[in-house]
Amino acid sequence: MSANADRHEFQAEVKQLLDLMIHSLYSNKDIFLRELISNASDALDRRRFEQLTDEGLRSEGELGIWIEADKENRLLTISDNGIGMSREEVVANLGTIARSGTKAFMQNLSSMKREGEVPPELIGQFGVGFYSAFMVADEVTVVTRRAGSDHAVRWVSTGDGYTVEDAARNEAGTTITLKLKPTDEEANLSDYSDEWVIKQIVKRYSDFVAYPIKMKTWEDDDGAKVLKESVLNSQKAIWARSKEEVTDEEYKEFYRHISHDWHEPLAHVPVRLEGTFEAQGLLYIPGSAPFDLYHPEMKRGVQLYVKRVFIMDECKELVPTYLRFIKGVVDAQDLSLNVSREILQKDRQIRVIRKNLVKKVFDTLDEIASGEAEKYEGFWKNFGPALKEGLVNGEAKEQDRILELLRAPSTHEPGKLTSLKDYVSRMKEGQDVIYYMTGPSLDAVQRSPHLEAFKAKGYEVLFFVDPIDEIWVERGLVYGEKTFRSVGQGEVELGTEEEKKAAEEKRESKERELRDLLTTLRAHLQDEVKEVRLSSRLTDSPVCLVGEAGDMSPQMEKLMKSMGQEVPKTKRILELNPDHPVVAKLQAMFGEDPKAEGLKSYAELLYGQALLAEGGALPDPVRFASLVTELMVR
Ligand code: ADP
């Protein structure tokens, strides 16, 4: 360590990450090379991009990546002439984990580790990146010089803290030198100082990297050994090749390259736009949901290229938010290389491309849904709630397609999901709306008294229990000319016209009979409910709470509150089951003494029961308990 070297500690999360690396959560050590090459490729992308607008950053030679394997000293060196890093950047990038999603993930992981169960597949959810070098090396040295600067720095670490000092480098770029661990086949540590091993790994993982990856190897030249530089990768942009030419393995490998996800993708979606605007691309639908799907900082997946030049990561303009999990590359032919985010937002071409991408993704999902139902259900469980956001903020055409793709549990076959198409095909004669119930959980809604009449009369009800459901069901969407109707709102009219009429008459006469009782109960509950009436949706339970059509549901109220919004309390309607013995008992009490104290207690108990039955919480549990005790004693 020379005089001007600073010693630094790693951030706690980096220590954890290194700990995981070294104690090898990853059985496949080879991937360190892919990670380092991928970083080099990113750095080259950035240089190529920045030099478009700043001539001073132009490199003298061809942009590329060089690998040197030194068997004698067990060293492996990976260099690039990319953007490089300043001293501050080195400290920030190679000593901390900046992305808060990844940081949170590490924290999660370490709590799981304490409980002794780190599922290895979890680790594939974020880029392991630079630190994976420590899987194969005892010491890592980085010498780097930022393009546009004359100063270079050297970063050295053996895994426990690091030093940073001034250094020299002929040109901008980064050189990473690994002091390799001893070969250990049992621990999957191959001999990474072996040219042949390196060649294989590059071919396997990094063939499509857009820059030449070069290595000097000893070649046989008429009996004499000569050192020759050769390019190890084909550099072919996978999205520009014809489908027939690309193998499944290559598609998967490219997915891993752009997504850092080690799970296999669910499907790949080649995109080719011809006509006014030309673009090619390759999108992927992931096989599993990223841990940060609902985190505002989630890394969006689609990269924008223009004529094979990388322009930007996370191009939000290319896919709607509800498809943020889609990964891939789009290469547009007619955009300017200097295109900025501001321009993208207004660009007509981008809008056309986006529309096509969305269509392609929907087409692919439709195909999976109709051909491979089980696989599709897996997709829906992972991404359904995200996709449903499109029912709130997508365009009308997109919403139609999402409704087609929607799956939900229903009363038809517990444990199974149904599509709207299948629901409609099972609708009863004369049924003109799609019945649904929202609620805090599947368990709660399945047991809800609101369903009783529907079940008894054989009407199927869909269950929507994701928070987003509360919002989209309010949007008045229409599926195949059918609107959606909550079983917990408004009056219920089931059956044929005749049955409806008969039920109505019966209720009216009952209501006349019980009018005064209902008014009294309403008076006792005036702070809680806006009306007490007889129900046509109950067969077994004595009571339930319903809203008026258009009222905010209790879940919606909760959701708004959790988002910090002021919401006025919506009073609901208490419905009594006219055929329940409890109602007869109340009527008898009322007949004896309309002012009986007991009526107030009963009213409160019934209200509490209705809340509990729908999975809600009691406003005053202590009072409820004492009322129950009182009743037991009486
Ligand atoms: P990630 O690549 O997922 O951001 P890494 O841990 O692999 O995470 O790298 C951290 C950061 O270090 C990168 O984002 C980049 O800014 C910087 N970096 C790594 N390798 C290089 C390189 N060869 N050239 C320039 N910067 C690099």
Side-chain angles (χ1 to χ4, degrees):
M1 192 159 99
S2 65
N4 67 5
D6 297 333
R7 190 158 174 89
H8 298 254
E9 285 293 310
F10 281 124
Q11 183 194 37
E13 286 81 10
V14 176
K15 280 188 199 156
Q16 284 168 9
L17 184 56
L18 281 171
D19 192 49
L20 286 176
M21 291 294 167
I22 292 161
H23 298 107
S24 90
L25 252 170
Y26 310 94
S27 53
N28 182 359
K29 315 278 187 212
D30 294 357
I31 57 99
F32 81 94
L33 191 56
R34 172 187 75 190
E35 298 294 318
L36 296 182
I37 288 175
S38 162
N39 280 347
S41 163
D42 290 348
L44 289 161
D45 279 342
R46 281 191 55 199
R47 182 160 196 189
R48 185 150 79 163
F49 180 64
E50 285 189 18
Q51 72 190 16
L52 290 173
T53 47
D54 187 346
E55 271 299 313
L57 299 182
R58 193 162 289 284
S59 73
E60 290 189 1
E62 185 194 18
L63 293 178
I65 299 166
W66 288 265
I67 300 182
E68 227 181 286
D70 176 352
K71 233 178 163 53
E72 219 161 289
N73 298 304
R74 293 205 52 75
L75 295 177
L76 181 69
T77 307
I78 297 108
S79 319
D80 63 68
N81 50 0
I83 196 74
M85 284 177 274
S86 67
R87 194 179 186 115
E88 292 71 37
E89 285 169 327
V90 166
V91 173
N93 294 336
L94 307 184
T96 62
I97 298 177
R99 219 181 290 141
S100 64
T102 307
K103 220 159 122 178
F105 181 71
M106 283 314 303
Q107 283 155 1
N108 263 340
L109 208 60
S110 72
S111 70
M112 266 189 278
K113 210 170 66 156
R114 241 172 279 130
E115 286 152 33
E117 40 149 345
V118 186
E121 72 274 8
L122 257 188
I123 209 85
Q125 298 207 349
F126 70 102
V128 288
F130 170 77
Y131 300 104
S132 63
F134 287 94
M135 295 195 300
V136 302
D138 291 321
E139 185 184 276
V140 178
T141 303
V142 179
V143 176
T144 183
R145 182 172 141 190
R146 179 72 166 80
S149 157
D150 300 330
H151 301 289
V153 283
R154 176 182 296 110
W155 178 101
V156 185
S157 172
T158 50
D160 52 345
Y162 58 93
T163 59
V164 181
E165 63 188 323
D166 292 341
R169 200 179 190 283
N170 282 338
E171 56 153 5
T174 303
T175 300
I176 298 180
T177 305
L178 309 181
K179 201 181 261 179
L180 295 168
K181 291 184 177 181
T183 306
D184 180 351
E185 294 298 341
E186 231 165 75
N188 287 327
L189 275 171
S190 308
D191 184 1
Y192 300 113
S193 66
D194 186 295
E195 289 165 1
W196 188 85
V197 170
I198 295 299
K199 266 189 188 170
Q200 296 297 312
I201 301 176
V202 171
K203 197 75 198 155
R204 178 164 162 71
Y205 292 110
S206 311
D207 191 53
F208 36 73
V209 166
Y211 304 92
I213 302 169
K214 296 178 189 174
M215 186 161 71
K216 284 198 183 113
T217 50
W218 290 102
E219 304 286 332
D220 204 54
D221 188 16
D222 266 345
K225 290 271 183 200
V226 291
L227 203 54
K228 264 194 188 159
E229 189 174 78
S230 60
V231 177
L232 308 183
N233 59 329
S234 74
Q235 298 170 65
K236 277 196 212 159
I238 191 166
W239 60 85
R241 290 159 61 188
S242 76
K243 273 188 258 181
E244 295 70 36
E245 228 186 275
V246 183
T247 65
D248 251 14
E249 197 38 53
E250 284 174 305
Y251 275 127
K252 285 180 195 158
E253 203 41 65
F254 186 66
Y255 174 69
R256 270 170 239 147
H257 173 72
I258 54 167
S259 71
H260 295 286
D261 178 0
W262 294 6
H263 298 105
E264 295 208 346
L266 190 76
H268 61 264
V269 187
V271 178
R272 194 167 291 258
L273 246 79
E274 273 147 9
T276 339
F277 302 126
E278 263 182 54
Q280 293 169 333
L282 180 57
L283 303 183
Y284 290 89
I285 303 168
S288 60
F291 63 93
D292 55 358
L293 184 55
Y294 302 101
H295 196 284
E297 271 185 65
M298 176 201 170
K299 197 164 152 56
R300 302 271 203 103
V302 178
Q303 302 177 335
L304 177 67
Y305 279 69
V306 172
K307 294 186 267 285
R308 302 284 171 86
V309 177
F310 170 83
I311 304 294
M312 66 178 76
D313 253 332
E314 301 193 62
C315 184
K316 294 194 172 71
E317 289 71 19
L318 284 173
V319 283
T321 328
Y322 64 84
L323 289 180
R324 59 187 172 278
F325 52 86
I326 296 291
K327 309 262 178 215
V329 170
V330 170
D331 189 353
Q333 294 306 303
D334 311 302
L335 282 175
S336 146
L337 288 173
N338 292 320
V339 67
S340 66
R341 294 230 181 235
E342 290 71 39
I343 296 173
L344 283 179
Q345 276 158 19
K346 287 182 243 124
D347 191 84
R348 202 164 82 81
Q349 184 177 175
I350 286 288
R351 279 208 301 277
V352 173
I353 294 175
R354 171 183 148 132
K355 220 167 146 176
N356 274 278
L357 298 186
V358 172
K359 184 180 167 304
K360 277 278 188 188
V361 170
F362 282 142
D363 288 349
T364 307
L365 288 173
D366 278 342
E367 238 168 71
I368 301 173
S370 61
E372 298 163 278
E374 206 170 302
K375 186 165 158 183
Y376 182 72
E377 276 197 15
F379 162 81
W380 184 257
K381 284 186 181 136
N382 279 323
F383 300 108
L387 211 59
K388 282 192 279 193
E389 291 170 20
L391 294 175
V392 178
N393 54 30
E395 289 169 23
K397 265 213 189 105
E398 298 171 4
Q399 295 183 329
D400 288 344
R401 302 216 53 181
I402 297 172
L403 286 178
E404 208 60 69
L405 288 164
L406 183 135
R407 296 291 180 273
S410 88
T411 48
H412 176 64
E413 220 178 317
K416 288 245 162 83
L417 300 181
T418 181
S419 65
L420 291 177
K421 190 168 160 213
D422 289 344
Y423 177 95
V424 169
S425 75
R426 289 188 293 261
M427 275 170 59
K428 307 247 314 171
E429 228 183 287
Q431 181 184 349
D432 52 4
V433 293
I434 296 170
Y435 288 111
Y436 70 85
M437 165 135 206
T438 58
S441 71
L442 189 56
D443 226 29
V445 289
Q446 271 172 336
R447 283 186 280 118
S448 163
H450 297 91
L451 299 173
E452 289 171 3
F454 291 86
K455 279 189 187 154
K457 298 212 164 87
Y459 283 79
E460 182 174 349
V461 177
L462 297 173
F463 298 128
F464 294 142
V465 293
D466 291 322
I468 186 77
D469 291 325
E470 294 290 340
I471 304 172
W472 75 260
V473 293
E474 298 294 329
R475 295 289 149 121
L477 299 181
V478 178
Y479 175 79
E481 300 183 358
K482 309 271 186 299
T483 53
F484 292 83
R485 168 95 51 89
S486 164
V487 299
Q489 278 181 347
E491 304 268 3
V492 171
E493 297 173 335
L494 300 176
T496 62
E497 285 308 313
E498 276 155 43
E499 286 169 328
K500 278 188 213 167
K501 219 170 134 205
E504 182 65 19
E505 277 166 15
K506 184 178 154 210
R507 208 185 53 181
E508 273 174 14
S509 95
K510 265 276 187 195
E511 218 147 37
R512 256 184 308 238
E513 195 184 307
L514 298 174
R515 181 173 307 135
D516 294 340
L517 170 67
L518 296 177
T519 314
T520 305
L521 293 176
R522 152 82 177 73
H524 285 314
L525 291 173
Q526 61 179 346
D527 292 338
E528 265 68 49
V529 304
K530 60 179 165 194
E531 194 186 337
V532 178
R533 70 182 181 203
L534 295 182
S535 185
S536 37
R537 64 189 101 216
L538 298 174
T539 58
D540 303 324
S541 304
V543 275
C544 70
L545 282 163
V546 302
E548 234 160 357
D551 275 359
M552 198 181 272
S553 73
Q555 283 75 246
M556 183 69 177
E557 221 177 286
K558 216 162 119 193
L559 194 71
M560 305 273 286
K561 276 194 193 135
S562 75
M563 295 189 300
Q565 304 223 24
E566 287 267 352
V567 275
K569 185 176 159 53
T570 319
K571 282 194 194 172
R572 298 165 75 202
I573 299 166
L574 185 74
E575 285 195 350
L576 296 184
N577 178 353
D579 301 322
H580 201 280
V582 155
V583 175
K585 170 109 193 266
L586 287 174
Q587 178 68 341
M589 260 172 103
F590 184 77
E592 262 172 44
D593 174 11
K595 293 206 165 60
E597 251 313 288
L599 281 173
K600 182 166 175 8
S601 308
Y602 273 104
E604 279 184 56
L605 280 168
L606 287 171
Y607 175 67
Q609 227 187 327
L611 280 174
L612 290 175
E614 63 181 23
L618 296 169
D620 186 351
V622 177
R623 163 127 187 107
F624 188 81
S626 78
L627 285 173
V628 172
T629 316
E630 205 180 285
L631 187 72
M632 288 161 81
V633 174
R634 206 183 291 161

